[in-house]
Amino acid sequence: MQTWNQIYTPLGSLWLSALAAAIPIIFFFIALAVLRLKGHVAAAVTLALAIGVAIFAYGMPATQALAAAGYGFAY
């Protein structure tokens, strides 16, 4: 597996890139506090959102994004 070098402003603006990175965190809090989802359901949806942001907004290869999620789960 090749090393992936992250670009910190993939959307052209630091603020826009930070907002895209904050989407999973914001959703997690809304899912728990407002939508009253169970913790494991909110966490699963948040994980899917985080993988989506990594792949589509930051340009991370899908295999590495899924591998990173798997490594995080195992850890």
Side-chain angles (χ1 to χ4, degrees), residues 13-48:
S13 166
L14 183 62
W15 289 100
L16 191 57
S17 299
L19 184 62
I23 289 172
I25 299 167
I26 293 169
F27 173 79
F28 186 67
F29 289 132
I30 291 173
L32 291 177
V34 177
L35 301 177
R36 303 272 188 194
L37 293 177
K38 294 189 182 247
H40 66 282
V41 174
V45 175
T46 301
L47 176 62

Side-chain angles (χ1 to χ4, degrees), residues 1-4 51-52 54-56 59-72:
M1 190 176 294
Q2 293 180 339
T3 302
W4 176 69
I51 292 171
I55 293 170
F56 296 114
M60 186 176 199
T63 55
Q64 288 184 333
L66 293 172
Y71 293 149

